[in-house]
Amino acid sequence: MSKILVFGHQNPDTDATASAYGWAYLERTAWGRDAEAVLLGEPNEETAFALHYFGVEAPRVVENATVEGVNQVILTDHNEFQQSIADIRDLEVLAVVDHHRVANFETANPLYMRLEPVGSASSIVYRASKEAGVDLPREVAGLLLSGLISDTLLLKSPTTHASDPQVAKELAEIAGVNLEEYGLALLKAGTNLASKSAEELIDIDAKTFELNGNPVRVAQVNTVDIAEVLERQEEIEAAMVEAMGTENYSDFVLMITDIVQSNSEILALGANMDKVEAAFNFKLENHHAFLPGAVSRKKQVVPRLTESFNN
């Protein structure tokens, strides 16, 4: 069998990176396949912290699999084609390992799919390693732990599954870290926004969702001070408008999430602001509104937007 590329979604976050790295390790170790973890973009600061902490070289960035001479791929932490590699429709998808909704997805051939409503794709990879009888080395366990911490905000997000705390405990033990101490350090590493341009800020963790025919960009940034981010509202909005014009998004929704207080501010622009307001039962004032208790794009924002856009 030729080489298989394993990757998470575009604008890779820590879970996308870790789950791809971990699943590629399983493909090689448990099943003897020639699998390589790659990224569909440069790692963010949080992910870079985890890679450095556990002594892992960042996987190389790939924009097109076909030019690599590869035609078989495995997707982790995503399944929607608009979030995947540029030539995804020309490739054979061998497997999907994900914890998100399934949408805009079809293949010509049968495939392995492992979809579970847990806190992270990394959680799924870890359980698969136990089922396969594979003992993970420290660096793989450390990255999987980082993916779980990142996606669940250290097990505080409503996306946290009942099984995730035990997964985190076991991974922390293998990785040789204190869960709370390492988790806080990891999350804080991803809140350094001052050095980023507005264009970089709105693209740190952004995904496009087709909502009733509308391409809606939903981005999220984590911070410890929402007001500090809103001080840059004018330049952030300019970047959002430019992105909408360039990429033909109908709407752009930015979650500014306070990881300490577990709340978010929603900053939104576009053609369907009435639907955004209806989704969250609030009124946008100067294009933004407070959304108490919201920390999860997957569970608390996208489903409500989907319902509103479909009504």
Side-chain angles (χ1 to χ4, degrees), residues 16 20 39 61 83 85 95 98 109 112 133 136 139 143 149 166 180 200 229 235 244 268-269 293 303 310:
L39 298 180
V61 175
Q83 298 173 5
I85 199 165
D98 194 15
N109 300 313
Y112 174 87
L136 297 178
E139 66 274 11
L143 288 186
I149 290 170
Q166 181 62 30
E180 291 293 327
E200 291 172 326
V229 179
E235 62 174 309
M244 285 191 292
L269 297 172
N310 286 336

Side-chain angles (χ1 to χ4, degrees), residues 52-102:
H52 177 74
Y53 190 96
F54 292 105
V56 176
E57 183 178 351
R60 63 194 181 95
V61 175
V62 171
E63 296 181 358
N64 185 299
T66 308
V67 300
E68 299 274 331
V70 172
N71 59 17
Q72 294 180 317
V73 298
I74 293 174
L75 314 185
T76 72
D77 200 33
H78 76 296
N79 65 79
E80 298 189 48
F81 278 11
Q82 73 270 15
Q83 298 173 5
S84 200
I85 199 165
D87 58 340
I88 184 64
R89 296 189 183 278
D90 300 323
L91 305 170
E92 180 182 3
V93 180
L94 297 178
V96 175
V97 181
D98 194 15
H99 67 130
H100 295 94
R101 71 173 194 172
V102 177

